[in-house]
Amino acid sequence: MSNTTDTSDDRSEERRGGAGSVQSVDRAVSVLEILAKLGDAGVTEISEELGVHKSTAFRILGVLENRGLVEQEKERGKYYLGAGVLRLAGAAAIRLDISQEGQPVCRALADETGETANIAVLDGDAAVNIMQARGAAAVTAYNWLGRRTPLHATASGKVLLAHLPQQRRETLVTRKLPRFTENTLTTAAGVREQLTAVLQDGFACTNEELEIGLNAVAAPVRAHDGAVIGAIGVSGPAYRMERRLLPELAERSAKAAAELSRRMGYAG
């Protein structure tokens, strides 16, 4: 391909945003794909593959290098995929692994409790349910799969929130928290108090905090290094999952979480 694309045209295109911004993202992804295919490549080679001026390729590589997605061999000047790509791939692998390893554990928890069992992982500022199994008593057809739920108003969310680094946790706790029912905690102090209890007890409970008539419990799932990578628990109608029964259900969820953590390589 030609590498004679005018540098000023590239810059004006990127400044315009919209289609230009999309093209910049597309080119950055293309650079990663080129390096994945070739192993390493210099600026000239990458610019020819992209069909852009060398200065444009150099700017894209600079951004990717700042993000740790590419690194440069100082001796030869060639670029190769950086550790940042491994971190992203590792996060994706963890999600795939927890889905695969979690299936029998989630099914067993649903069978044991009779309620709906879920596995959730952190997705930005929310929890997303990646697996669900219904027990014999769970007659509702409501599907939680793929649903993003608020961290402060769900049992899985509280587990994930409680185990975040302090600065990140504080950022999420101190923002404006939406109220879903009269039981939803919306103050930073109130949420902090519950998160402290989650860390002490090893599980989280919600009592009609997301929806009236819905209760839930959850416990943390850990990776091989002890980091919390998900939460597993059960949810069901408040008339059946009465408040007095939540600690027992939480204990069962904690046992399921320990089993899933073991499957994920955690020996603690």
Coordinates of all heavy atoms in Angstrom, one line a residue, residues 188-247:
A188 N -23.0 7.7 51.5 CA -21.7 7.1 51.5 C -21.4 6.4 52.8 O -20.9 5.3 52.8 CB -20.6 8.2 51.2
A189 N -21.8 7.1 53.9 CA -21.6 6.5 55.2 C -22.3 5.2 55.4 O -21.8 4.2 55.9 CB -22.0 7.5 56.3
G190 N -23.6 5.1 54.9 CA -24.3 3.9 55.1 C -23.7 2.8 54.2 O -23.7 1.6 54.7
V191 N -23.3 3.1 53.0 CA -22.7 2.0 52.2 C -21.4 1.6 52.7 O -21.1 0.4 52.8 CB -22.6 2.6 50.7 CG1 -21.8 1.5 49.9 CG2 -23.9 2.9 50.1
R192 N -20.6 2.5 53.2 CA -19.3 2.1 53.8 C -19.5 1.2 55.0 O -18.8 0.2 55.1 CB -18.6 3.4 54.3 CG -17.9 4.2 53.3 CD -16.9 5.2 53.9 NE -16.7 6.3 53.0 CZ -17.2 7.5 53.1 NH1 -18.1 7.8 54.0 NH2 -16.9 8.5 52.2
E193 N -20.5 1.4 55.8 CA -20.8 0.6 56.9 C -21.1 -0.9 56.5 O -20.7 -1.8 57.0 CB -21.9 1.1 57.8 CG -22.3 0.3 59.0 CD -23.3 1.0 59.9 OE1 -23.8 2.1 59.5 OE2 -23.8 0.3 60.8
Q194 N -21.9 -1.0 55.4 CA -22.3 -2.3 54.9 C -21.1 -3.0 54.3 O -20.9 -4.2 54.4 CB -23.4 -2.2 53.9 CG -24.8 -2.0 54.5 CD -25.9 -2.6 53.6 OE1 -25.7 -2.9 52.5 NE2 -27.1 -2.8 54.2
L195 N -20.2 -2.2 53.6 CA -19.1 -2.8 53.0 C -18.1 -3.4 54.0 O -17.4 -4.4 53.8 CB -18.4 -1.8 52.1 CG -19.2 -1.3 50.9 CD1 -18.3 -0.4 50.0 CD2 -19.7 -2.5 50.0
T196 N -18.0 -2.7 55.2 CA -17.2 -3.1 56.3 C -17.7 -4.5 56.8 O -16.9 -5.4 57.1 CB -17.1 -2.1 57.4 OG1 -16.6 -0.9 57.0 CG2 -16.3 -2.6 58.6
A197 N -19.0 -4.6 56.9 CA -19.7 -5.8 57.3 C -19.4 -6.9 56.3 O -19.2 -8.1 56.7 CB -21.2 -5.6 57.5
V198 N -19.4 -6.6 55.0 CA -19.2 -7.6 54.0 C -17.8 -8.2 54.1 O -17.6 -9.4 54.1 CB -19.3 -7.0 52.6 CG1 -18.8 -7.9 51.5 CG2 -20.7 -6.6 52.3
L199 N -16.8 -7.3 54.4 CA -15.4 -7.8 54.6 C -15.2 -8.6 55.8 O -14.5 -9.6 55.9 CB -14.5 -6.6 54.6 CG -14.4 -5.8 53.3 CD1 -13.5 -4.5 53.5 CD2 -13.8 -6.6 52.2
Q200 N -16.0 -8.3 56.9 CA -15.9 -9.0 58.1 C -16.6 -10.4 58.0 O -16.1 -11.4 58.5 CB -16.5 -8.2 59.3 CG -15.7 -7.0 59.6 CD -16.3 -6.1 60.7 OE1 -17.5 -6.2 60.9 NE2 -15.6 -5.2 61.3
D201 N -17.8 -10.3 57.4 CA -18.7 -11.5 57.4 C -18.3 -12.5 56.3 O -18.5 -13.7 56.4 CB -20.1 -11.2 57.2 CG -20.6 -10.3 58.4 OD1 -20.1 -10.4 59.5 OD2 -21.6 -9.6 58.1
G202 N -17.7 -12.0 55.2 CA -17.4 -12.8 54.1 C -18.5 -13.0 53.1 O -18.4 -13.9 52.2
F203 N -19.6 -12.3 53.2 CA -20.7 -12.3 52.3 C -21.5 -11.0 52.4 O -21.3 -10.2 53.3 CB -21.6 -13.5 52.7 CG -22.2 -13.5 54.0 CD1 -23.3 -12.8 54.3 CD2 -21.6 -14.3 55.1 CE1 -23.9 -12.7 55.6 CE2 -22.2 -14.2 56.3 CZ -23.3 -13.5 56.6
A204 N -22.4 -10.9 51.5 CA -23.3 -9.7 51.4 C -24.8 -10.1 51.3 O -25.0 -11.1 50.7 CB -22.9 -8.7 50.3
C205 N -25.6 -9.3 51.9 CA -27.1 -9.5 51.7 C -27.8 -8.3 51.3 O -27.3 -7.2 51.6 CB -27.7 -10.0 53.1 SG -27.0 -11.4 53.8
T206 N -28.9 -8.4 50.6 CA -29.7 -7.3 50.3 C -31.2 -7.7 50.6 O -31.6 -8.8 50.4 CB -29.7 -6.9 48.8 OG1 -29.9 -8.0 48.0 CG2 -28.3 -6.3 48.4
N207 N -31.9 -6.7 51.2 CA -33.2 -6.9 51.6 C -34.1 -5.9 50.9 O -34.3 -4.8 51.3 CB -33.3 -6.7 53.1 CG -34.7 -6.8 53.7 OD1 -35.5 -7.7 53.2 ND2 -35.1 -6.0 54.7
E208 N -34.6 -6.3 49.7 CA -35.5 -5.5 48.9 C -34.9 -4.1 48.6 O -35.6 -3.1 48.7 CB -36.9 -5.3 49.6 CG -37.6 -6.6 49.8 CD -39.0 -6.5 50.4 OE1 -39.9 -6.3 49.6 OE2 -39.2 -6.5 51.6
E209 N -33.6 -4.1 48.2 CA -32.9 -2.8 48.0 C -32.9 -2.5 46.5 O -32.8 -1.3 46.2 CB -31.5 -2.9 48.5 CG -31.5 -3.1 50.0 CD -30.1 -3.4 50.6 OE1 -29.1 -2.8 50.1 OE2 -30.0 -4.2 51.5
L210 N -33.0 -3.5 45.6 CA -33.0 -3.2 44.2 C -34.5 -3.2 43.7 O -34.9 -2.4 42.9 CB -32.2 -4.2 43.4 CG -32.2 -4.1 41.9 CD1 -31.6 -2.8 41.5 CD2 -31.5 -5.2 41.2
E211 N -35.2 -4.2 44.2 CA -36.7 -4.3 43.8 C -37.4 -4.7 45.0 O -37.0 -5.6 45.8 CB -36.8 -5.4 42.7 CG -36.2 -5.0 41.4 CD -36.4 -6.1 40.3 OE1 -37.2 -7.1 40.6 OE2 -35.8 -6.1 39.3
I212 N -38.6 -4.2 45.2 CA -39.5 -4.6 46.2 C -39.9 -6.1 46.0 O -40.2 -6.5 44.9 CB -40.8 -3.8 46.3 CG1 -40.5 -2.4 46.7 CG2 -41.8 -4.4 47.3 CD1 -39.9 -2.2 48.1
G213 N -39.7 -6.9 47.1 CA -40.1 -8.3 47.0 C -38.9 -9.2 46.6 O -39.1 -10.4 46.4
L214 N -37.7 -8.6 46.4 CA -36.5 -9.4 46.0 C -35.4 -9.3 47.0 O -35.0 -8.2 47.4 CB -36.0 -8.9 44.6 CG -34.8 -9.6 44.1 CD1 -35.1 -11.0 43.7 CD2 -34.2 -8.8 42.9
N215 N -34.9 -10.4 47.5 CA -33.8 -10.5 48.4 C -32.7 -11.3 47.8 O -32.9 -12.1 46.9 CB -34.2 -11.2 49.7 CG -35.0 -10.2 50.6 OD1 -35.2 -9.1 50.3 ND2 -35.6 -10.8 51.7
A216 N -31.5 -11.1 48.2 CA -30.3 -11.8 47.7 C -29.2 -11.9 48.6 O -29.1 -11.1 49.6 CB -29.9 -11.1 46.4
V217 N -28.3 -12.9 48.4 CA -27.1 -13.0 49.1 C -26.0 -13.4 48.1 O -26.2 -13.9 47.1 CB -27.1 -14.1 50.2 CG1 -28.2 -13.8 51.3 CG2 -27.5 -15.5 49.6
A218 N -24.7 -13.1 48.5 CA -23.6 -13.4 47.6 C -22.3 -13.4 48.4 O -22.2 -12.9 49.5 CB -23.5 -12.3 46.5
A219 N -21.3 -14.2 47.8 CA -20.0 -14.3 48.5 C -18.9 -14.1 47.4 O -19.2 -14.4 46.2 CB -19.9 -15.6 49.2
P220 N -17.7 -13.8 47.8 CA -16.7 -13.5 46.8 C -16.0 -14.7 46.2 O -15.8 -15.7 46.9 CB -15.6 -12.7 47.6 CG -15.8 -13.1 49.0 CD -17.3 -13.4 49.1
V221 N -15.7 -14.7 44.9 CA -14.9 -15.7 44.2 C -13.5 -15.1 44.0 O -13.4 -14.0 43.5 CB -15.6 -16.1 42.9 CG1 -14.7 -17.1 42.1 CG2 -17.0 -16.6 43.1
R222 N -12.5 -15.9 44.3 CA -11.1 -15.5 44.2 C -10.3 -16.2 43.1 O -10.6 -17.4 42.9 CB -10.4 -15.6 45.6 CG -11.1 -14.8 46.7 CD -10.4 -15.0 48.0 NE -11.0 -14.3 49.1 CZ -10.8 -13.0 49.3 NH1 -9.9 -12.3 48.6 NH2 -11.5 -12.4 50.3
A223 N -9.4 -15.5 42.6 CA -8.5 -16.1 41.6 C -7.3 -16.8 42.3 O -7.3 -16.7 43.6 CB -7.9 -15.0 40.7
H224 N -6.4 -17.3 41.6 CA -5.3 -18.1 42.2 C -4.5 -17.2 43.2 O -3.9 -17.7 44.2 CB -4.4 -18.6 41.1 CG -3.7 -17.6 40.3 ND1 -2.4 -17.1 40.7 CD2 -4.1 -16.9 39.2 CE1 -2.1 -16.2 39.8 NE2 -3.0 -16.1 38.9
D225 N -4.4 -15.9 42.9 CA -3.6 -15.0 43.7 C -4.4 -14.3 44.9 O -3.9 -13.5 45.6 CB -3.0 -13.9 42.9 CG -4.0 -13.0 42.1 OD1 -5.2 -13.3 42.2 OD2 -3.6 -12.1 41.4
G226 N -5.7 -14.8 45.0 CA -6.5 -14.2 46.1 C -7.3 -13.0 45.7 O -8.2 -12.6 46.5
A227 N -7.1 -12.5 44.6 CA -7.9 -11.3 44.1 C -9.3 -11.7 43.9 O -9.6 -12.8 43.3 CB -7.3 -10.7 42.9
V228 N -10.3 -10.9 44.3 CA -11.7 -11.2 44.1 C -12.0 -10.8 42.6 O -11.8 -9.7 42.2 CB -12.6 -10.3 45.0 CG1 -14.0 -10.5 44.7 CG2 -12.3 -10.8 46.5
I229 N -12.5 -11.9 41.9 CA -12.8 -11.7 40.5 C -14.3 -11.9 40.2 O -14.7 -11.7 39.0 CB -12.0 -12.7 39.7 CG1 -12.3 -14.2 40.1 CG2 -10.5 -12.4 39.7 CD1 -11.6 -15.2 39.3
G230 N -15.1 -12.2 41.2 CA -16.5 -12.3 40.9 C -17.2 -12.6 42.2 O -16.7 -12.5 43.3
A231 N -18.5 -12.8 42.1 CA -19.4 -13.1 43.2 C -20.4 -14.1 42.8 O -20.9 -14.1 41.7 CB -20.1 -11.8 43.7
I232 N -20.7 -15.1 43.7 CA -21.7 -16.1 43.4 C -22.7 -16.0 44.6 O -22.4 -15.8 45.7 CB -21.1 -17.5 43.3 CG1 -22.2 -18.5 42.9 CG2 -20.4 -17.9 44.5 CD1 -21.6 -19.9 42.6
G233 N -24.0 -16.2 44.3 CA -25.0 -16.1 45.3 C -26.4 -16.5 44.7 O -26.5 -17.0 43.6
V234 N -27.4 -16.3 45.6 CA -28.7 -16.6 45.2 C -29.7 -15.5 45.4 O -29.4 -14.6 46.3 CB -29.3 -17.9 45.9 CG1 -28.5 -19.1 45.6 CG2 -29.2 -17.7 47.5
S235 N -30.7 -15.4 44.6 CA -31.7 -14.4 44.8 C -33.1 -15.0 44.7 O -33.2 -16.1 44.1 CB -31.6 -13.3 43.8 OG -31.7 -13.8 42.5
G236 N -34.1 -14.4 45.3 CA -35.4 -15.0 45.3 C -36.4 -14.1 46.0 O -36.1 -13.0 46.5
P237 N -37.7 -14.4 45.9 CA -38.7 -13.6 46.5 C -38.6 -13.5 48.0 O -38.2 -14.4 48.7 CB -40.0 -14.3 46.1 CG -39.6 -15.7 45.9 CD -38.2 -15.7 45.3
A238 N -38.8 -12.3 48.5 CA -38.7 -12.0 50.0 C -39.6 -12.8 50.8 O -39.2 -13.2 52.0 CB -38.9 -10.5 50.2
Y239 N -40.7 -13.3 50.3 CA -41.6 -14.1 51.2 C -41.1 -15.5 51.4 O -41.4 -16.1 52.3 CB -43.0 -14.1 50.5 CG -43.1 -14.9 49.3 CD1 -43.2 -16.3 49.3 CD2 -43.1 -14.3 48.0 CE1 -43.3 -17.1 48.1 CE2 -43.2 -15.0 46.8 CZ -43.3 -16.4 46.9 OH -43.4 -17.1 45.7
R240 N -40.1 -15.9 50.5 CA -39.5 -17.2 50.6 C -38.1 -17.1 51.2 O -37.7 -17.8 52.1 CB -39.5 -17.9 49.3 CG -39.3 -19.4 49.4 CD -39.6 -20.2 48.1 NE -38.9 -19.7 47.0 CZ -39.5 -19.3 45.8 NH1 -40.8 -19.4 45.7 NH2 -38.7 -18.9 44.8
M241 N -37.3 -16.1 50.7 CA -36.0 -15.8 51.2 C -36.2 -14.8 52.3 O -35.8 -13.6 52.2 CB -35.1 -15.4 50.1 CG -34.5 -16.5 49.3 SD -33.3 -15.9 48.0 CE -32.1 -15.2 49.0
E242 N -36.8 -15.2 53.4 CA -37.0 -14.3 54.5 C -35.7 -13.7 55.1 O -34.7 -14.4 55.0 CB -37.9 -14.9 55.6 CG -39.2 -15.4 55.2 CD -40.0 -16.2 56.3 OE1 -39.9 -15.6 57.4 OE2 -40.5 -17.2 56.0
R243 N -35.8 -12.6 55.7 CA -34.6 -12.0 56.2 C -33.9 -12.9 57.2 O -32.6 -12.9 57.2 CB -35.0 -10.6 56.9 CG -33.8 -9.7 57.2 CD -34.2 -8.3 57.5 NE -33.1 -7.5 57.7 CZ -33.2 -6.1 57.8 NH1 -34.4 -5.6 57.8 NH2 -32.1 -5.4 57.9
R244 N -34.6 -13.6 58.0 CA -34.0 -14.5 59.0 C -33.3 -15.6 58.4 O -32.4 -16.2 59.0 CB -35.1 -15.0 60.0 CG -36.1 -15.9 59.3 CD -37.2 -16.3 60.3 NE -38.2 -17.1 59.6 CZ -38.1 -18.4 59.4 NH1 -37.0 -19.0 59.9 NH2 -39.1 -19.1 58.8
L245 N -33.6 -16.0 57.2 CA -32.9 -17.1 56.5 C -31.7 -16.7 55.7 O -31.0 -17.5 55.2 CB -33.9 -17.8 55.5 CG -35.2 -18.4 56.2 CD1 -36.1 -18.9 55.1 CD2 -34.8 -19.4 57.2
L246 N -31.5 -15.4 55.5 CA -30.4 -14.9 54.7 C -29.0 -15.3 55.1 O -28.2 -15.7 54.3 CB -30.5 -13.4 54.5 CG -31.7 -12.8 53.8 CD1 -31.6 -11.3 53.6 CD2 -31.9 -13.5 52.5
P247 N -28.7 -15.3 56.5 CA -27.4 -15.8 56.9 C -27.1 -17.2 56.5 O -26.0 -17.6 56.1 CB -27.4 -15.6 58.4 CG -28.4 -14.5 58.6 CD -29.5 -14.7 57.6

